[in-house]
Amino acid sequence: MSEMQETQPQTAPASTDGGLESTKRRQILEGAREVFLARGFDGASMGEIAKTAGVSKGTLYVYFDSKEALFEALTAEEKRGLAEVLFRLDADDPDVRGVLTRLGHSYLEHMGRPEHISSVRMVIGAAEKFPRIGQIFYEAGPCRGIERLGAYLTRQVEAGRLTIPDTAVAAQQFLDLCKSGIMHRLLFAAGAPPTEEEIRKTVESAIYVFFSAYGPQAGSR
């Protein structure tokens, strides 16, 4: 039986100390992140993850009954946390250009990090065999980011600062404009992470195109 199919009939932790259990779970996830990034999804083993995390294999299976379940939990937690940090937007801030410019910079800085590129490649590689992993990655990260940005844009439309017929589509378009060709280049290892100057120029271009289409003057055309 393969490790992905193997499950261990363990019982849940007996302790009622939620803080202790949360710390142990975090310890396991940190170890899993290290192993997955070093070995890839297929190359990682539950035994190596347990060793790196400093727990027994039996303890590991108490928290996660398979490598797939562990990877899903790690992916969802990391992407959800990232979306909450990057897309913490003040809906009442009237400086829309400033808000979107700052978002574009932080978004590209993160997207260009080697560890993020490695994570994306790993998910893409695993998603064909385990589609749920790709779905979790997409829903916890890109979808949540688009939802948060879309909500911000909706408030700006209501305030008369933007003219957008579909804010969810516009949110996706803005992020795509920011990524431009940078993400594809990095995924194929065809160049170095973007420089500050490249990020600045890319975001400026994205802002120009976005406001040309959705600025307050768009409604008068």
Side-chain angles (χ1 to χ4, degrees):
M1 178 181 294
S2 70
E3 187 170 37
M4 290 301 302
Q5 296 171 318
E6 177 185 8
T7 60
Q8 301 291 325
Q10 303 284 345
T11 59
S15 171
T16 58
D17 188 339
L20 178 62
E21 298 309 331
S22 177
T23 298
K24 183 67 69 175
R25 186 176 188 276
R26 168 56 49 195
Q27 181 180 340
I28 291 171
L29 289 175
E30 290 294 337
R33 179 187 295 106
E34 182 178 337
V35 174
F36 281 131
L37 287 176
R39 303 289 188 184
F41 179 77
D42 287 334
S45 71
M46 292 292 268
E48 185 176 8
I49 289 171
K51 181 178 179 180
T52 302
V55 301
S56 70
K57 197 170 181 180
T59 297
L60 175 59
Y61 276 109
V62 168
Y63 288 85
F64 302 99
D65 63 9
S66 69
K67 185 169 71 171
E68 182 182 7
L70 177 51
F71 189 75
E72 287 180 1
L74 179 63
T75 296
E77 184 168 311
E78 290 197 339
K79 296 303 291 183
R80 185 180 301 114
L82 177 66
E84 291 173 356
V85 171
L86 286 183
F87 295 89
R88 188 175 294 163
L89 308 173
D90 182 1
D92 296 321
D93 190 335
D95 182 12
V96 184
R97 286 179 181 269
V99 169
L100 294 182
T101 296
R102 290 190 294 273
L103 172 61
H105 276 263
S106 59
Y107 184 68
L108 274 179
E109 286 169 0
H110 172 79
M111 295 290 285
R113 291 176 184 170
E115 60 269 26
H116 177 261
I117 298 300
S118 295
S119 294
V120 174
R121 289 182 185 138
M122 185 163 48
V123 170
I124 292 173
E128 183 174 359
K129 187 176 182 181
F130 304 102
R132 178 171 164 76
I133 289 176
Q135 181 180 353
I136 289 175
F137 181 91
Y138 184 72
E139 290 179 351
C143 281
R144 187 164 294 220
I146 291 169
E147 179 182 344
R148 283 173 172 255
L149 179 54
Y152 171 79
L153 295 177
T154 296
R155 288 290 298 274
Q156 306 319 305
V157 170
E158 293 170 351
R161 301 182 187 114
L162 294 172
T163 303
I164 304 175
D166 189 326
T167 53
V169 170
Q172 176 72 74
Q173 290 171 335
F174 178 72
L175 296 179
D176 286 344
L177 286 169
C178 287
K179 287 187 295 186
S180 188
I182 292 176
M183 189 63 177
H184 288 155
R185 183 185 84 207
L186 296 178
L187 282 174
F188 288 105
T195 63
E196 290 185 10
E197 180 64 11
E198 184 179 7
I199 289 176
R200 183 187 66 78
K201 289 183 177 180
T202 300
V203 174
E204 284 182 355
S205 177
I207 292 290
Y208 174 79
V209 173
F210 187 84
F211 275 86
S212 294
Y214 297 128
Q217 78 284 354
S220 62
R221 293 201 296 266

